[in-house]
Amino acid sequence: MPLRWIVCLLLLLSADAWAGEPVATVRVAFDRDGVTAIRAHGHADQATGREVSADDPVRIASISKLVTALGVMRLAEAGKLDLDADASTLLGWRLRNPAFPQVPITLRLLLSHRSSLTDAAGYWQTPLGGELREILEDPRAWDAKHAPGSYFRYANLNFPLVAQIMERATGERFDRLMARLVLRPLGLDACFNWALCSDAAAARAVVLYDADGKPVKDDNHGRKPACPVTPASDGSCELSHWRAGENGALFSPQGGLRISARGLARIGQLLLGDGSLDGQRLLEPGSIQAMVGPEWQYRPGNGLTWEEDTGGDDAGFFCRYGLAVQTLATPVKGCRDDPFGDGVARVGHSGSAYGLQAGLWVDRKRGTGVVWFATGMPDERSGGKSAFSAVEEALAR
């Protein structure tokens, strides 16, 4: 049965299902040797009628966090970063939860969402020339009830701080650093916030649509955007104003990676290869295992199992988490993190933003994996038997 029919059937069978269907869906299956199957349906750009393909770059949302963590681990292996050092030392200024001023916050806690940070004060709004540090001065940025290390709370703000630490350790702009450490070694024409992608890749960008079919991101008419970052307060966009270690949010490490589904499959192959791909080693097996962890597993009272932006509609979505790596199918009451429905503990990460729902998941024991994304989706993940949407469950299968 064609994938489109499966998706539509699942939506019709669910009383709570979303009434529409995706603008585009792409699914790429792979193993350690390469891509094994591709399915693509719909439009990358509805205005021009351009059909979507597995080679079109898409803003892959929070799967960007996993790719960012690969860069962190490369720097850790090179002795540039210490996962367990006080992040205050790495940032050059004191990072503390005001309610727990004596408890250090480490890079490991930032990567695993156990830092006690929240997204209530924002995380991406700092403009070019501004300082991310100002967000941390807002009391809403902190969980005043739980000390760092004691509680899991998924918060995007962790990753601009991670990027800022990376920049300060190297003196390199985050997007350039990620290109050098991860994207170019893997042969990927991918980028954080468009600046370093080729013009050819930008011309194939997948436009992101909301559930009403309105374009909400990357509707760039075949070109790179005039400004790839949040402009300066005066509206200017002079990237020479960038300064290492001031604004780690600028190139969206939490969600701004533009990469094709085929390219993302290579990231999955790297995980399957324990840090090696095409005979070249990017990371040691121990670094991949450290990412997988998990650092945290849900039990009542030790963390939230949903992202707070969703209002808890997807409770049970997060139940095991490492260093920017999620593990699925947690056999614990209250966990609904198995879109495949087979109980296999796959690892990877999900993505959801601007009408996109996406996933990168690998079965390390069997040596197989899958990448998917759907555009034109509602904000909530609806209609599924798990905390994932019915559309994602269809793509998983």
Side-chain angles (χ1 to χ4, degrees), residues 296-321:
W296 169 83
Q297 178 168 319
Y298 171 70
R299 57 177 173 75
N302 79 340
L304 297 179
T305 61
W306 64 90
E307 187 172 356
E308 288 181 286
D309 286 350
T310 68
D313 288 340
D314 54 350
F317 190 86
F318 295 110
C319 280
R320 282 182 284 183
Y321 204 89

Side-chain angles (χ1 to χ4, degrees), residues 29 165 199 204 245:
I165 287 169
D199 291 339
R204 300 193 311 273

Side-chain angles (χ1 to χ4, degrees), residues 74-309:
R74 289 213 68 192
L75 292 176
E77 286 189 1
K80 298 283 188 180
L81 290 176
D82 181 346
L83 298 180
D84 297 307
D86 188 335
S88 299
T89 302
L90 304 174
L91 287 165
W93 44 269
R94 187 172 173 81
L95 180 69
R96 286 290 188 275
N97 184 329
F100 303 94
Q102 303 307 313
V103 182
I105 297 171
T106 66
L107 190 52
R108 186 182 301 275
L109 295 182
L110 292 169
L111 288 165
S112 59
H113 298 286
R114 296 180 300 132
S115 65
S116 76
L117 284 164
T118 82
D119 284 336
Y123 57 88
W124 57 266
Q125 295 90 340
T126 306
L128 178 64
E131 294 193 22
L132 181 67
R133 183 177 181 179
E134 294 177 2
I135 289 179
L136 281 300
E137 296 170 358
D138 188 329
R140 295 175 300 168
W142 297 100
D143 177 354
K145 295 181 180 180
H146 302 98
S150 69
Y151 198 80
F152 176 89
R153 184 187 299 270
Y154 189 92
N156 290 283
L157 180 55
N158 287 299
F159 280 77
L161 286 169
V162 169
Q164 193 152 316
I165 287 169
M166 295 170 73
E167 288 186 345
R168 192 164 187 270
T170 63
E172 295 180 66
R173 207 174 75 186
F174 173 75
D175 63 328
R176 291 173 173 165
L177 181 60
M178 287 301 301
R180 177 174 68 82
L181 293 175
V182 178
L183 303 177
R184 288 176 186 160
L186 294 179
L188 300 174
D189 189 355
C191 56
F192 282 81
N193 279 15
W194 287 121
L196 299 184
C197 272
S198 70
D199 291 339
R204 300 193 311 273
V206 176
V207 180
L208 297 186
Y209 298 90
D210 64 15
D212 296 322
K214 177 184 176 182
V216 288
K217 203 71 172 177
D218 287 348
D219 187 18
N220 299 326
H221 309 289
R223 302 181 298 273
K224 293 183 182 181
C227 185
V229 300
T230 301
S233 55
D234 63 2
S236 64
C237 188
E238 180 51 65
L239 291 182
S240 65
H241 291 165
W242 169 85
R243 297 290 182 271
E246 288 187 356
N247 183 7
L250 204 57
F251 288 91
S252 303
Q254 77 285 345
L257 176 65
R258 270 68 172 188
I259 189 170
S260 69
R262 190 191 298 272
L264 199 57
R266 287 184 62 79
I267 300 292
Q269 286 182 275
L270 184 73
L271 298 178
L272 290 177
D274 286 329
S276 180
L277 182 61
D278 298 336
Q280 302 295 317
R281 179 157 297 283
L282 192 74
L283 285 168
E284 294 299 321
S287 293
I288 298 296
Q289 187 55 52
M291 288 177 63
V292 170
E295 293 283 327
W296 169 83
Q297 178 168 319
Y298 171 70
R299 57 177 173 75
N302 79 340
L304 297 179
T305 61
W306 64 90
E307 187 172 356
E308 288 181 286
D309 286 350

